[in-house]
Amino acid sequence: YSMAFIKGRYRDYTGSEVLIYLAIKKFETLENYEFLFESYNHLGILQLDINEYDRALSYHEKARTYISKLKNPEVFQVKNYNNVGYTFLKKKEYKQAIKYFDKALKFKINRNRYARLTDHKAYSRLKLGDTLNVKKELLKSLQIRDSLNDRVGILLSKLRLAEYYGYIKDTSKALHYAKEAKRLSSKLKNGADYLTSLKL
């Protein structure tokens, strides 16, 4: 499982998939439901990375079948709702995405997850052209991520704030956040977000 996870991070999707299926066979024999959830969750994330949204959703659906067998089902339920919501966001089905982010936000969650879900939900609303309280939510997420020193989260927040300010035609603030995102993505060696910041 760990090897599959690492291969996935380094975009060796085929290698990761082969290893995760080997892991699933072992976890089924051991009746290890937590790692069965994590394995199917990982498969969902791999499919998302290659824009196979429907396959990603089917893997997240499969992961969900194990939640009721786990000791802390709420934690896994929130993770599942977030990942399904994010898949719908990437699929540009923003109303569906918001529905799942709202489901996850009903649970008692830590600040990091709250910031992520709030950010995703606000961004989905922006994509629908609804700007009511979007700036407030995006800034709140950035503030939480900043306090936690979550640099990957900070980068995402700044990209989304750049997009928000671009949408409302505040060019100077949009450029400010886009340049900050560019600097941070370069520091983190995050090629995809570096390209996004340049595009913005």
Side-chain angles (χ1 to χ4, degrees):
Y1 171 84
S2 297
M3 288 162 66
F5 184 84
I6 292 164
K7 279 180 178 283
R9 280 290 169 97
Y10 284 91
R11 295 186 174 86
D12 177 2
Y13 301 117
T14 307
S16 183
E17 205 167 320
V18 167
L19 285 168
I20 209 75
Y21 276 114
L22 291 172
I24 284 169
K25 281 183 187 173
K26 299 275 188 194
F27 295 139
E28 281 173 343
T29 306
L30 296 166
E31 296 183 354
N32 187 326
Y33 301 120
E34 182 176 336
F35 270 96
L36 282 166
F37 170 88
E38 294 293 358
S39 296
Y40 283 105
N41 182 63
H42 178 74
L43 283 167
I45 291 165
L46 287 181
Q47 296 307 310
L48 184 64
D49 281 352
I50 56 170
N51 305 323
E52 289 285 345
Y53 304 122
D54 292 330
R55 285 186 72 193
L57 289 169
S58 71
Y59 283 127
H60 288 308
E61 189 65 41
K62 178 70 175 171
R64 192 180 301 151
T65 64
Y66 295 103
I67 292 174
S68 61
K69 298 172 181 174
L70 301 175
K71 281 181 183 173
N72 299 308
E74 312 81 29
V75 174
F76 296 94
Q77 191 66 74
V78 170
K79 190 175 191 176
N80 185 260
Y81 283 151
N82 174 64
N83 288 340
V84 171
Y86 191 68
T87 304
F88 278 119
L89 191 160
K90 297 294 274 184
K91 202 180 175 191
K92 299 182 181 176
E93 292 184 20
Y94 304 115
K95 286 182 181 174
Q96 276 292 92
I98 290 166
K99 190 173 96 175
Y100 280 94
F101 297 140
D102 278 337
K103 283 183 179 185
L105 283 162
K106 285 178 183 166
F107 288 84
K108 188 178 178 183
I109 51 179
N110 65 29
R111 292 171 71 228
N112 186 26
R113 201 165 286 275
Y114 176 80
R116 183 179 302 139
L117 287 161
T118 303
D119 184 76
H120 288 340
K121 183 184 171 185
Y123 185 68
S124 299
R125 287 180 51 232
L126 176 64
K127 293 307 243 179
L128 287 168
D130 174 10
T131 57
L132 184 68
N133 291 327
V134 162
K135 179 175 86 168
K136 182 182 165 190
E137 297 299 313
L138 290 174
L139 287 169
K140 187 199 293 182
S141 296
L142 175 58
Q143 185 182 24
I144 294 167
R145 286 166 159 173
D146 203 34
S147 72
L148 297 170
N149 197 29
D150 172 12
R151 296 198 302 165
V152 174
I154 291 166
L155 171 56
L156 188 58
S157 284
K158 289 187 174 183
L159 286 169
R160 289 179 171 176
L161 280 160
E163 202 168 324
Y164 166 78
Y165 283 113
Y167 181 82
I168 64 162
K169 309 269 192 295
D170 186 339
T171 313
S172 63
K173 279 190 178 170
L175 278 168
H176 166 76
Y177 281 109
K179 284 176 180 175
E180 285 200 353
K182 179 173 161 278
R183 272 195 297 274
L184 186 53
S185 58
S186 178
K187 227 182 250 183
L188 295 173
K189 296 182 171 61
N190 184 328
D193 286 338
Y194 185 78
L195 290 173
T196 303
S197 68
L198 287 173
K199 187 178 174 186
L200 283 165

